[in-house]
Each structure stands twice: as C-alpha cells, then as structure tokens.
C-alpha cells in the first residue's frame, strides 16, 4: 500500500492554552507526529498563547518534554524533535485583559491559513473571539477550534454560539468532538455507504438492537470539582455517545460534504424520543479495596452526580421505529473499552431444527482498544456431527488487514487538526446540532434533578449497577461483556 501524505498549505496555528494539559498531552504531540509524517510544510508555524511568562525557548523546552512524555519512544527522535520545536513560538496573552494582543497581532501572518485553537475553559471563548476580532488578528477565512464542553445545557450552548457568531461565521467554527476523528468512526460511514452489503439491512426490519458502550477504568480523582457539575450524561452522552448514535442511525447523505452529513445527523437527534425514567439507570462508583469512592473524589459528601449511565433510547422514524439503541458509559469500570454493536435479527425460520441452535449476525465496531470491526457469521461446525451451527468472526482488525501502515494511522486529534487546516468541517459539530443535542438532554437531567434521584452505588472494577444489566434482560437481551 502506498502512503499518500499530502502536505497542507502553509499555516499559523495559535493554541490558546498552549501550556495546558490538553495541549501538552494531545495537540502538540499530535502536531509533532504530523510533522514527522511530512504533512507540515516548511513555513508552517505553531504559536502557543497563554498566561505565564515564557520565552520561545521556554515553550520549546516544555513541548520537547511533552513529546518525550506522550509520544512512544519508537516514534520520536532527537533530531526531528529539535526541527519541530524550532517552528514554535510563544506569546504571553491574557484572554480577559489587554496583555499580549498587540504582540500576537504582529506575529500572526495574514496571508497564510490561520487557525486559532481555544484550548482553554469555555468561559474564555467569548473573550478570545472578541479580542481576535477587535485586534484585527483573524482574517476572513480564519478558523476557530473550540473544545468541549460546549455549554452545560441548551441555554449556555445558545449563549456560546451567539458570542462566537458575533465575530465569526458558522463556516469558520470547528467544534471538536475527538470521537469523530477516530479511524473506526469514519470507517463506519465507509462500511455503510461504500458497500451494498449492509445498507439494505440497516433498519428496524433486520436489526434487533444497537449497543453503544464507552467504558473507562479511570476515576474522576483530581478533577472531581469539575466532574461533579457535569456527570456522565453531560460529559459523555450529550456529545460522544450522541455522535456515535448519529453516525450509526443517519440516512445516507447525498454527498460526503460537511453540511450534507451534518444535516442527516441533526435529523436523527430531532427524531430521538424523550426517555422515560424506567429506561434510565444512573450509577456512582462506591469505594473498594484500597480505592476511594466517588464521594471522596467529589468534595460534596451528598453528591448525586452519576459516574455511570445506561439508557434505552428510541428513534421515531421509519428506519428505526422498534429497534432500541442502548447506550452505556461510566468510570471505574472493569475495562477500558468503546464499541458499537449492531445485533441483527435471527433468521425468520431455522431449516436446521432446534438442535442447531439459534444465531444472529453481530457487527462490532471497536473504537478502543484495537480499532477495527468484527462481523460474526453463522456457519456449520466442522466435522461429522451433523448440521450444528457455530458463529465465527470475520475479523477486520485494521492492523492485521492493512499491514504496518494501519498501525501508523493518525490519532483523532492529529486528523482533526489537519482537517481544520484544510478547511473541512465534516467531522466537526455544527451549532444547531449541539443545540438539538442539549434540547434532548435537558429534560432528562431536569427529570432526575426534580425528583431528587440518587444514583445507585456500584463496585469499582465492575460492569456498573445491577439495574443496568436488567435494562436489557427485561427485553430478553444482554449487554456485550466489558472486557480487556
Ligand atoms: P488547563 O487548565 O490544563 O490549561 C488551561 C490553559 O489556559 C493554560 O495554558 C492557561 O495558561 C490558559 N489560560 C487560563 N486562563 C487564561 C487567560 N485568562 N488568558 C490566557 N490563557 C489562559 O486546561 P486543559 O485541561 O488543557 O483544558 C483546556 C480545555 O480543553 C478546557 O475547555 C477543557 O474542558 C477542554 N478539554 C480538556 C481535555 C483534557 O484532556 N485535558 C479533554 C477534552 C477537553
């Protein structure tokens, strides 16, 4: 397979919050990897902008150390790190004051692609957008990248959209959801829309149900104060799981272009039913042997925030009526695992008799670990024992199927930043999409807040609360096991 790395146009990328955790762990190491891949043209520059009195050299040292820490050893070397960090600059800027803006205006070039990455808390988005505009730093094609959380409800999301819209067009705003940058997520679209095999069966007539799981082993230790105001519903379901649901459920767009794809996702969100209380299970991890519980991490001894949620979601449209989507996400679970599982219906009649067993095809799209897909098909068990059926996997682990290059696929942040520079918004959320997602989410949260519901405690390292298992059992179904 021939690698097709196409360098992007010359650019100035300004990272507001360039000294923060996200910049150090993801954005800057990601840019280094694109540099190694030959995708950054010679005159591309990256400018860190944050509070703190750093020189260019201090910032370069900091980024060099971040690369050492976050890029695997076999993917870095001292010479390329040195070349990469020579492209870096730093400007001390106060988002809420006047410091640094004139210096930034002088440094940023007007005749190259401009991208401004807001890797700071959302309370600063408005200040940054306004000052970029006021100081005439951004040109008419400049791109703004904004991080999650995009609001905490419909009202705050609308306010954020309005403040960005007062200085920039929607076509310049890139709301990032890094799940959309994952190779497998895009492959879901390729599998659905580039093959005739699946699409005719991709509906309630042939699909029994869909499961979307994002399981984490980490706790909220260290960021309990933030997480306690958010919870799993706001932190994961409203954005990441919602996006995965949309890509699974949407109608084929007429073209693979930003608005065609986002129009179809928006229609899915608008077709989601309100979720009745009996279809929601919330959980909170308790303490375990030698590990603290959520309450110890939250700072609020009476916290009712959920670190786990499972829900059954129905979509009211012709394609999906009658096929539930079960969503599940949580912290401190048994394993770190994200996947979408499409379980097809069984054959209408088995010609092989009851002894052969009943079987359903299952398509699993794995986001982590080991990005890939797996389709279970039913065949005859080999041997002379008569017609007994067995399920076997048609495994499409990318690394196995596509060779060493598949192991070198860019991570989500790398791909998304390059899409920003190319000016491609397909994998970014549009303002109306985010608002529609909040409009669905808000009444669900309001419901349990008004009732004063307390999440159920679950054991750390488990599958979540027992009731989450019951959510499927009562429908005669089972969750796929959360496993390593
Ligand atoms: P952080 O606290 O580690 O870093 C914040 C950065 O903002 C620092 O560089 C700081 O100097 C800068 N800053 C703060 N106030 C400023 C001001 N007034 N003017 C200029 N710069 C200022 O935060 P983080 O973890 O890097 O997160 C940044 C954003 O990304 C947040 O919105 C967060 O929700 C989001 N996010 C973070 C992660 C993550 O893994 N860290 C993941 C997803 C989204």
């Amino acid at each position: 397979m021939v690698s097709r790395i196409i360098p992007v146009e010359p650019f100035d990328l300004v990272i507001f919050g360039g000294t923060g955790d996200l910049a150090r762990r993801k954005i800057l190491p990601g840019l280094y990897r694109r540099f190694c891949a030959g995708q950054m043209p010679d005159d591309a520059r990256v400018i860190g902008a944050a509070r703190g009195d750093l020189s260019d050299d201090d910032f370069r040292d900091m980024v060099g150390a971040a690369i050492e820490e976050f890029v695997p050893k076999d993917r870095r070397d001292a010479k390329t790190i040195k070349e990469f960090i020579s492209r870096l600059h730093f400007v001390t800027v106060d988002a809420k004051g006047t410091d640094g803006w004139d210096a930034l205006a002088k440094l940023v070039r007007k005749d190259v692609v401009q991208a401004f990455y807001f890797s700071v808390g959302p309370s600063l988005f408005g200040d940054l957008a306004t000052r970029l505009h006021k100081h005439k730093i951004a040109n008419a094609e400049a791109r703004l990248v904004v991080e999650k959380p995009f609001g905490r409800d419909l009202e705050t999301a609308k306010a954020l959209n309005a403040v960005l819209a007062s200085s920039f067009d929607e076509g310049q705003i890139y709301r990032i959801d890094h799940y959309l940058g994952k190779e497998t997520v895009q492959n879901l679209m390729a599998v659905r829309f580039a093959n005739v095999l699946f699409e005719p069966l991709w509906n309630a007539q042939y699909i029994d149900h869909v499961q979307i799981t994002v399981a984490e082993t980490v706790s909220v230790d260290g960021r309990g104060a933030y997480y306690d105001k958010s919870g799993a519903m706001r932190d994961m379901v409203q954005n990441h799981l919602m996006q995965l649901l949309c890509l699974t459920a949407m109608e084929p767009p007429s073209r693979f272009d930003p608005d065609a794809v986002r129009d179809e996702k928006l229609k899915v969100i608008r077709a989601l039913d309100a979720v009745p209380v009996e279809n929601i299970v919330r959980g909170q991890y308790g303490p375990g042997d030698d590990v603290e519980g959520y309450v110890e991490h939250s700072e609020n001894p009476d916290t009712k925030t959920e670190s786990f949620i499972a829900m059954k979601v129905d979509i009211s449209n012709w394609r999906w009526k009658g096929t539930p989507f079960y969503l599940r996400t949580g912290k401190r679970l048994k394993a770190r695992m994200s996947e979408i599982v499409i379980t097809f219906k069984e054959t209408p009649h088995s010609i092989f008799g009851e002894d052969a067993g009943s079987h359903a095809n299952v398509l699993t799209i794995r986001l982590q670990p080991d990005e890939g897909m797996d389709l279970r098909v039913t065949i005859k068990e080999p041997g002379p024992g008569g017609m007994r059926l067995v399920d076997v996997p048609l495994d499409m682990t990318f690394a196995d199927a596509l060779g060493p290059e598949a192991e070198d696929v860019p991570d989500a942040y790398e791909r998304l930043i390059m899409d920003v520079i190319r000016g491609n918004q397909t994998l970014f959320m549009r303002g109306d999409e985010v608002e529609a997602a909040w409009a669905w989410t808000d009444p669900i949260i309001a419901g349990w807040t008004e009732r004063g519901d307390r999440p159920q405690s679950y054991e750390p390292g488990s599958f979540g609360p027992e009731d989450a298992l019951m959510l499927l059992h009562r429908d005669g179904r089972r969750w796929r096991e959360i496993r390593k």
Side-chain angles (χ1 to χ4, degrees):
M1 201 169 61
V2 181
S3 166
R4 285 186 298 145
I5 301 278
I6 302 166
V8 293
E9 284 180 46
F11 63 84
D12 273 359
L13 167 63
V14 179
I15 307 173
F16 290 104
T19 55
D21 177 66
L22 183 67
R24 288 180 58 258
R25 274 191 317 112
K26 290 287 181 188
I27 304 171
L28 289 154
L31 284 163
Y32 168 69
R33 290 201 48 182
R34 289 298 89 208
F35 175 78
C36 295
Q39 211 164 11
M40 272 173 72
D42 286 346
D43 51 357
R45 299 186 312 174
V46 177
I47 300 163
R51 281 196 304 203
D53 206 7
L54 269 68
S55 65
D56 282 351
D57 281 341
D58 295 337
F59 184 59
R60 288 171 186 158
D61 289 346
M62 188 211 85
V63 176
I67 293 169
E68 297 278 339
E69 189 175 349
F70 297 111
V71 176
K73 206 170 175 192
D74 59 345
R75 301 200 181 266
R76 57 179 150 85
D77 71 80
K79 186 166 163 276
T80 48
I81 294 178
K82 206 166 158 212
E83 284 169 21
F84 173 70
I85 62 176
S86 72
R87 311 286 191 88
L88 305 178
H89 302 267
F90 186 82
V91 183
T92 305
V93 165
D94 182 3
K96 288 197 168 292
T98 49
D99 285 358
W101 289 97
D102 289 339
L104 191 63
K106 263 194 212 128
L107 189 59
V108 175
R109 296 171 292 177
K110 298 281 185 299
D111 55 348
V112 294
V113 172
Q114 294 180 332
F116 299 95
Y117 199 129
F118 291 4
S119 181
V120 293
S123 62
L124 299 180
F125 292 175
D127 295 299
L128 292 176
T130 315
R131 283 173 172 76
L132 280 173
H133 195 67
K134 190 173 138 207
H135 289 268
K136 298 192 171 54
I137 299 173
N139 65 26
E141 280 86 42
R143 285 132 212 188
L144 301 191
V145 186
V146 293
E147 265 296 337
K148 85 168 212 188
F150 200 85
R152 64 181 321 274
D153 53 23
L154 179 58
E155 195 186 332
T156 48
K158 276 187 172 168
L160 267 182
N161 276 335
V163 80
L164 295 178
S166 63
S167 305
F168 294 89
D169 292 337
E170 179 62 32
Q172 298 180 274
I173 302 168
Y174 292 69
R175 294 174 195 79
I176 213 162
D177 184 322
H178 70 275
Y179 273 58
L180 291 179
K182 288 186 182 283
E183 187 72 13
T184 331
V185 171
Q186 290 164 73
N187 247 312
L188 171 58
M189 288 190 272
V191 163
R192 283 194 61 192
F193 304 132
N195 296 282
V196 291
L197 220 53
F198 294 105
E199 200 47 29
L201 308 180
W202 207 264
N203 55 53
Q205 198 183 341
Y206 293 103
I207 293 181
D208 179 71
H209 73 282
V210 175
Q211 297 181 16
I212 301 178
T213 297
V214 177
E216 298 179 285
T217 51
V218 291
S219 71
V220 302
D221 196 11
R223 45 183 219 116
Y226 158 77
Y227 192 88
D228 212 42
K229 293 196 188 71
S230 162
M233 187 71 186
R234 286 192 172 95
D235 192 46
M236 298 298 290
V237 178
Q238 185 274 344
N239 38 54
H240 304 316
L241 277 82
M242 175 71 81
Q243 289 296 322
L244 300 181
L245 180 149
C246 285
L247 294 178
T248 309
M250 73 184 186
E251 296 298 315
S254 58
R255 294 173 309 282
F256 189 58
D257 87 15
D259 279 331
V261 170
R262 297 183 302 176
D263 286 347
E264 296 305 336
K265 288 198 292 165
L266 180 61
K267 284 187 214 160
V268 174
I269 304 174
R270 290 188 172 154
L272 297 178
D273 285 355
V275 185
V277 59
E278 64 273 17
N279 288 351
I280 303 171
V281 178
R282 293 165 69 234
Q284 197 181 75
Y285 59 83
D289 297 340
D290 300 331
V291 290
E292 291 176 326
Y294 182 85
V295 177
E296 283 76 42
H297 294 157
S298 92
E299 298 174 359
N300 172 8
D302 192 38
T303 175
K304 291 180 185 153
T305 302
E306 76 285 353
S307 61
F308 173 98
I309 188 163
M311 55 205 306
K312 176 181 177 182
V313 177
D314 292 307
I315 305 176
S316 275
N317 63 20
W318 275 40
R319 186 184 282 265
W320 294 114
K321 192 73 190 169
T323 293
F325 282 61
Y326 298 96
L327 313 183
R328 166 177 69 158
T329 181
K331 307 255 178 229
R332 265 271 201 268
L333 295 177
K334 186 166 193 280
R336 179 166 177 261
M337 184 196 90
S338 302
E339 62 180 23
I340 304 170
V341 183
I342 321 283
T343 303
F344 290 86
K345 291 188 173 167
E346 293 179 9
T347 50
H349 162 70
S350 170
I351 65 168
F352 302 112
E354 278 181 15
D355 289 351
S358 61
H359 298 265
N361 299 120
V362 178
L363 175 67
T364 304
I365 297 134
R366 285 190 309 273
L367 281 74
Q368 63 192 20
D370 303 330
E371 283 198 64
M373 298 198 191
D374 166 311
L375 176 65
R376 294 196 83 83
V377 292
T378 304
I379 61 162
K380 177 189 167 298
E381 194 174 66
M387 187 54 99
R388 274 203 299 272
L389 302 180
V390 62
D391 291 339
V392 293
L394 281 182
D395 193 338
M396 296 173 269
T397 305
F398 300 148
D400 296 344
L402 302 177
E405 275 187 36
E407 286 178 21
D408 205 25
V409 290
D411 108 324
Y413 274 94
E414 295 173 44
R415 177 193 317 277
L416 293 173
I417 294 169
M418 289 299 114
D419 277 359
V420 172
I421 306 295
R422 287 193 206 96
N424 185 343
Q425 288 184 305
T426 309
L427 300 175
F428 297 82
M429 294 177 294
R430 209 169 53 193
D432 52 0
E433 224 185 303
V434 178
E435 289 184 14
W438 281 121
W440 176 78
T441 308
D442 279 359
I444 298 173
I445 297 177
W448 70 58
T449 310
E450 278 159 26
R451 288 189 302 272
D453 291 352
R454 201 168 270 289
Q456 298 167 27
S457 181
Y458 61 92
E459 266 184 51
S462 70
F463 307 109
E466 281 287 310
D467 278 5
L469 304 180
M470 291 310 298
L471 190 67
L472 267 76
H473 289 184
R474 70 175 196 214
D475 293 344
R477 301 180 174 116
R478 304 177 81 83
W479 287 108
R480 289 253 302 183
E481 199 188 333
I482 296 178
R483 71 214 168 278
K484 291 194 178 71

